Amino acid sequence: MKPSAQLFKAEFFFDHTIHLLVNRYTEDFTVPFHAHDFIEYCYVAEGKGFHHIEQETIPVSKGMLFAIPVGVSHVFRPTTPDAKGNPLIVYNCLFDSHMVDQLTVMLMEQPIQEHLTDLRNRRIPYFSVSDHDGSIESLVQMLYREMSVQGIGSATMLHTLLSQLVVTAYRKNLSNSDKPRSEVANFDQILQFLKQNMHEAVTLSELARVSKWSDRHLQRLFQRQTGQSFGSYLQNLRVQKSCELLRSSEHKISSIAERVGYRDMDSFNAVFKKIVGQPPRQYRKLYRPNGSP
């Protein structure tokens, strides 16, 4: 069941001159699950954690950018409450409807203008891209610096940098969607097969047999489409599902381990702690203080 979301309103974040806010935030467990009446671009700058968005839970790490349309509910969570360990740090770039109107005047190409309007009117879902070349990190850092220490020409610089960020994210997302449709559709079926059978001892060879692709080509597809190897993707998928069950169910931890494909508790605990940063029992206590052992 989707948790209730608090609404963040633009009037509390923007002044009347610059309809933009850029901050650098160390994520914690105090920010509520929320939606907002403005667009948000979130860039993971450091650490690891989870992005709870609508009904999904996505493991996140440095270099991931999320474009969040108006009205989409989400929140970031670190892997552990101990901010001294490996804190999850996110740059947040927020801009409202007035800024969208200003940007559409600056942007020359109609598809990108329509893309921004679609984000504002929630006609498209959220999307995420990976910053393989460091171009997005450079832009968000410059936006943050310009926002923090404003001077002559800052308004122009902020508009220019924001338009570059929008175009760069749009290009990367378009590049992802330009893959051969039949191959992408077939690979999506493979991912769906994994979700439905994660409790089994699924192997790359079995997936190759199902898909009629070679092991090597399938491994390349995992790297290209998910940014992870098959083994890492399967581990993250299982841990993601176990996190969901730890938060929402009364099942014993040993039962949850079996439900996501682990027959050995030591292996489950080791993988869970490696990805989440803390053991399953400790993770459950954050969400269900009186939960089952």
Side-chain angles (χ1 to χ4, degrees):
M1 183 175 66
K2 179 182 174 181
S4 59
Q6 183 174 330
L7 179 64
F8 288 180
K9 294 188 175 182
E11 59 194 81
F12 295 106
F13 291 88
F14 310 109
D15 60 32
H16 297 295
T17 56
I18 301 179
H19 299 273
L20 170 71
L21 176 66
V22 184
N23 63 23
R24 187 175 188 271
Y25 187 73
T26 300
E27 299 293 344
D28 51 32
F29 290 86
T30 62
V31 177
F33 190 67
H34 62 275
H36 27 69
D37 61 359
F38 48 83
I39 297 170
E40 181 173 14
Y41 280 42
C42 312
Y43 179 78
V44 181
E46 296 180 30
K48 294 182 179 181
F50 295 92
H51 193 185
H52 303 276
I53 180 164
E54 294 293 285
Q55 298 186 35
E56 295 184 76
T57 301
I58 303 168
V60 297
S61 57
K62 176 178 171 59
M64 299 176 71
L65 174 83
F66 292 85
I68 313 296
V70 168
V72 171
S73 305
H74 77 122
V75 72
F76 284 93
R77 290 288 186 245
T79 57
T80 171
D82 182 11
K84 296 179 181 179
N86 186 25
L88 176 62
I89 300 176
V90 176
Y91 284 99
N92 301 291
C93 179
L94 327 175
F95 56 100
D96 65 7
S97 184
H98 296 285
M99 178 60 79
V100 171
D101 291 336
Q102 295 171 23
L103 289 179
T104 52
V105 174
M106 295 178 61
L107 297 167
M108 304 298 293
E109 291 83 3
Q110 185 177 351
I112 306 179
Q113 295 173 348
E114 293 175 350
H115 170 71
L116 267 183
T117 304
D118 287 343
L119 285 172
R120 175 173 61 185
N121 297 329
R122 198 179 175 179
R123 288 198 290 258
I124 57 176
Y126 82 91
F127 67 88
S128 65
V129 296
S130 296
D131 185 31
H132 296 302
D133 58 4
S135 57
I136 294 177
E137 182 175 31
S138 177
L139 285 170
V140 296
Q141 287 177 342
M142 286 189 287
L143 273 164
Y144 177 66
R145 286 196 294 268
E146 196 67 46
M147 192 85 206
S148 301
V149 185
Q150 296 184 33
I152 296 175
S154 283
T156 301
M157 284 293 292
L158 288 168
H159 280 74
T160 302
L161 290 168
L162 180 57
S163 66
Q164 289 183 57
L165 178 61
V166 169
V167 172
T168 300
Y170 178 83
R171 282 177 169 179
K172 288 181 179 289
N173 189 47
L174 188 64
S175 175
N176 290 340
S177 63
D178 278 346
K179 308 299 181 187
R181 291 191 177 184
S182 60
E183 185 172 271
V184 171
N186 289 337
F187 186 73
D188 285 344
Q189 291 179 6
I190 290 298
L191 297 185
Q192 190 61 36
F193 178 86
L194 267 183
K195 285 184 179 180
Q196 294 172 351
N197 295 276
M198 72 172 77
H199 59 286
E200 303 287 350
V202 184
T203 65
L204 186 65
S205 297
E206 181 181 358
L207 290 183
R209 179 181 56 78
V210 171
S211 65
K212 296 182 170 51
W213 287 319
S214 69
D215 289 23
R216 179 174 296 182
H217 183 64
L218 193 54
Q219 188 69 277
R220 281 197 298 264
L221 284 175
F222 269 97
Q223 288 289 355
R224 185 193 308 160
Q225 299 292 336
T226 72
Q228 305 172 64
S229 67
F230 160 72
S232 294
Y233 182 86
L234 180 57
Q235 282 188 344
N236 278 301
L237 183 66
R238 286 169 165 168
V239 169
Q240 178 181 331
K241 182 63 177 179
S242 65
C243 285
E244 177 187 323
L245 292 171
L246 286 166
R247 294 194 307 271
S248 63
S249 78
E250 298 289 346
H251 298 307
K252 292 184 176 180
I253 293 176
S254 57
S255 174
I256 290 175
E258 288 187 18
R259 285 169 180 260
V260 299
Y262 286 94
R263 304 293 180 264
D264 179 72
M265 280 301 296
D266 289 339
S267 297
F268 174 68
N269 286 327
V271 171
F272 191 97
K273 186 174 181 179
K274 177 183 177 183
I275 293 175
V276 179
Q278 56 190 314
R281 190 182 305 276
Q282 186 176 343
Y283 177 85
R284 168 170 265 176
K285 286 181 179 179
L286 291 172
Y287 295 90
R288 303 175 65 85
N290 299 317
S292 300

